[in-house]
Amino acid sequence: MTLLILGLALWVLAHFFKRIAPEARAKLGDPGKGIIAVLLVGSIVLMVLGYRGADFIPVWSPPTWTVHLNNLLMILAFWIYGSSAAKGAKAWPAYKTRHPQLLGFKIWAAAHLLVNGDLAAIILFGTLLAWAVVEVILINRAEPDWTPPAPAGAKTYIRLTVITAVIVLIVTGIHTWLGVWPFPS
């Protein structure tokens, strides 16, 4: 559990560094982006190792129907996250919401809280959900003005549909490879 907590702390601190200490981050310049990227990759490695190595301590037993809800929410999370990827005009909801990537991330974390009732999962996904909520608040305070982008056309929606389907297949493959079947048994 120690590695998991260290990974989460590193993730949160690396992301908040720009908001908490903007002058220090600015002094790092472009090389600072590389440093932050290395810290974030390290945090993910620590979280994965910590989560996989944590003892299973049940806190609650999720109902079986939450697997279906989780899978639907994951498709929505991938769509929302990807909706901001197009240059210029954006797909729904990126032209309606200021932080579609963080919104997708929050849905991802909440969906995983629905289907995992053990302590390590609650710490992992609960902390990441809380981080995303606070990140939105910090960004909105630092940069209060936002102009919504124009809505995208049909080509962007077709591309996003294909990309979302491919990501679902990739994530299903990764979960299966890790020994976690993401569908109802």
Side-chain angles (χ1 to χ4, degrees), residues 1 19 25 27 32-33 35-36 42 49 57 59 74 78-80 87 101 116 129 138 142 151 160 166 174 176 181-182:
M1 193 80 72
R19 306 287 172 212
R25 173 59 189 93
K27 286 180 185 176
K33 292 178 183 178
I35 294 167
I36 297 298
L49 293 175
I57 302 169
V59 175
M74 289 309 304
F78 294 143
W79 175 277
I80 291 173
K87 292 182 177 153
Q101 291 182 346
N116 294 288
L129 177 59
L138 290 175
L160 183 56
V166 169
I174 291 169
T176 304
W181 183 242

Side-chain angles (χ1 to χ4, degrees), residues 64-76:
T64 54
W65 60 266
T66 60
V67 174
H68 299 290
L69 181 56
N70 172 74
N71 291 342
L72 287 172
L73 288 172
M74 289 309 304
I75 294 168
L76 179 64

Side-chain angles (χ1 to χ4, degrees), residues 12 34 46 49 75-77 87 91 95 119 122 124 130 151 165 171:
V12 169
L46 288 171
L49 293 175
I75 294 168
L76 179 64
K87 292 182 177 153
Y95 65 85
L119 182 61
I122 292 168
L124 174 62
V171 169

Side-chain angles (χ1 to χ4, degrees), residues 17 22 28 40 42 50 78-79 90 97 111 115 118 125 127 146 151 164:
F17 180 55
L28 292 175
L40 291 174
F78 294 143
W79 175 277
K90 306 290 184 189
T97 182
V115 293
D118 61 295
F125 300 114
T127 301
W146 178 66
T164 300

Side-chain angles (χ1 to χ4, degrees), residues 14-22 25 135 138-140 142-143:
H15 276 92
F16 286 168
F17 180 55
K18 178 180 178 181
R19 306 287 172 212
I20 294 171
R25 173 59 189 93
E135 186 76 19
L138 290 175
I139 292 169
N140 288 345
E143 304 161 16

Side-chain angles (χ1 to χ4, degrees), residues 84-109:
S84 68
K87 292 182 177 153
K90 306 290 184 189
W92 176 90
Y95 65 85
K96 293 251 184 219
T97 182
R98 182 173 182 180
H99 307 287
Q101 291 182 346
L102 286 167
L103 177 58
F105 193 91
K106 290 187 279 189
I107 292 169
W108 168 84

